[in-house]
Amino acid sequence: MKNDKIKNQYRVNEQIRVREVRIVGDAGSEVVPTRQALEMAHNQGVDLVEISPNANPPVCRLIDYSKFLYQQKKRAKELKAKQVKVEVKEIRFGPQTDEHDYQFKLKHAKEFLEDGDKVRAYVFFRGRSILFKEQGEVLLLRFANDLEEYGKVEHMPSLEGKKMFIYLAPKKAGVAKKSQQAMDREKREAEEREMSKGNAGSEEPESIPANGGLFANAKISSEALKKLTGEE
């Protein structure tokens, strides 16, 4: 079926019924009467193939039709292989996302963006945690800021029902070079993780925490916020 579609896309030889055509080839192009073009094709043992019917006059090639179809199928296959299918990967945060879980999801988001996929991250608010949607926005802005070397913000945080979304698209292919700001941030976060080991025995209450979850993740500088929102 696909082969028939390609085959029927072009007019060949006597199917070409215009008065004159433009013959193109390696030596250039020339406009000749269609009857003369058919004689040229016959003398060379090839076909007269119309490749651009909407031109004035229509453009044709002198080529073996089977060879021409093969070239067209090969070209279509190569173009299809070059097409990159962009997928949208989701990252979900809860209202009590801790630092370890945040870093785990941040790592996956980096991998998605490096693979050329888009990332849709969201905070899901359950029950009365919706009262703290501002902290959810700060979390998503921090998330975008931590991924600045890998992706760009396509859509700033927005609340849709009980979910607040942010959309990130991968940057152009290439090895991301870490900025001094990113290296300083990673160093600071590593020091914070070391300090938190001494408090590993403490537990947070099941209710919305005052010093954990989204509040703990709300460690983003005003400078980074301005950068993400386009303010100077």
Side-chain angles (χ1 to χ4, degrees), residues 10-11 16 47-51 59-61 63 65 68:
Y10 303 95
R11 286 196 286 260
I16 305 171
D47 298 296
L48 181 67
V49 182
E50 186 182 61
I51 60 175
V59 179
C60 297
R61 287 184 61 189
I63 187 174
Y65 191 43
F68 174 77

Side-chain angles (χ1 to χ4, degrees), residues 210-221:
N211 295 312
L214 293 176
F215 297 92
N217 285 319
K219 296 175 181 177
I220 183 169
S221 66

Side-chain angles (χ1 to χ4, degrees), residues 2-226:
K2 290 183 179 179
N3 293 340
D4 291 340
K5 185 177 180 180
I6 296 176
K7 187 175 181 179
N8 296 330
Q9 186 177 350
Y10 303 95
R11 286 196 286 260
V12 187
N13 298 327
E14 285 74 15
Q15 295 175 353
I16 305 171
R17 298 179 179 179
V18 294
R19 188 178 63 178
E20 60 183 13
V21 295
R22 180 180 296 276
I23 304 295
V24 296
D26 297 336
S29 67
E30 62 175 328
V31 177
V32 299
T34 304
R35 181 175 296 180
Q36 181 180 340
L38 288 170
E39 291 177 358
M40 293 168 61
H42 177 73
N43 292 336
Q44 296 180 28
V46 294
D47 298 296
L48 181 67
V49 182
E50 186 182 61
I51 60 175
S52 184
N54 297 325
N56 186 23
V59 179
C60 297
R61 287 184 61 189
L62 299 174
I63 187 174
D64 181 86
Y65 191 43
S66 298
K67 180 180 179 181
F68 174 77
L69 289 177
Y70 172 77
Q71 291 175 347
Q72 294 302 107
K73 293 172 188 175
K74 184 179 179 181
R75 185 177 302 174
K77 186 176 181 180
E78 290 174 350
L79 288 174
K80 185 176 180 180
K82 289 180 180 180
Q83 291 178 346
V84 179
K85 185 179 180 181
V86 178
E87 297 184 5
V88 179
K89 303 291 187 177
E90 278 198 345
I91 300 289
R92 169 176 170 167
F93 293 102
Q96 298 183 21
T97 299
D98 58 28
E99 184 64 21
H100 181 269
D101 191 30
Y102 174 84
Q103 293 297 331
F104 178 77
K105 292 178 178 179
L106 181 66
K107 178 183 177 182
H108 280 289
K110 289 179 181 178
E111 293 173 352
F112 294 150
L113 292 169
E114 286 180 329
D115 289 341
D117 297 321
K118 292 187 176 184
V119 171
R120 178 172 64 179
Y122 67 93
V123 178
F124 178 71
F125 299 99
R126 183 173 298 167
R128 64 191 183 96
S129 65
I130 193 67
L131 298 174
F132 300 96
K133 57 181 180 293
E134 290 80 8
Q135 280 73 27
E137 181 178 7
V138 172
L139 168 63
L140 293 177
L141 288 173
R142 178 197 175 192
F143 185 69
N145 188 64
D146 288 345
L147 293 169
E148 63 180 340
E149 304 292 338
Y150 303 87
K152 56 185 177 181
V153 178
E154 274 195 336
H155 193 285
M156 295 299 287
S158 61
L159 188 64
E160 301 176 18
K162 294 183 178 181
K163 298 178 181 179
M164 180 173 286
F165 292 92
I166 192 170
Y167 295 82
L168 302 171
K171 287 188 175 180
K172 291 183 179 180
V175 178
K177 183 178 180 181
K178 292 184 179 179
S179 64
Q180 185 62 44
Q181 180 186 1
M183 290 189 289
D184 291 342
R185 183 174 61 251
E186 290 182 0
K187 181 180 179 181
R188 184 176 65 253
E189 291 173 351
E191 292 174 350
E192 290 173 353
R193 286 194 294 272
E194 289 295 325
M195 292 176 63
S196 65
K197 289 181 180 180
N199 300 322
S202 60
E203 297 182 356
E204 296 289 343
E206 293 184 357
S207 60
I208 298 175
N211 295 312
L214 293 176
F215 297 92
N217 285 319
K219 296 175 181 177
I220 183 169
S221 66
S222 58
E223 179 182 351
L225 281 171
K226 288 181 180 179

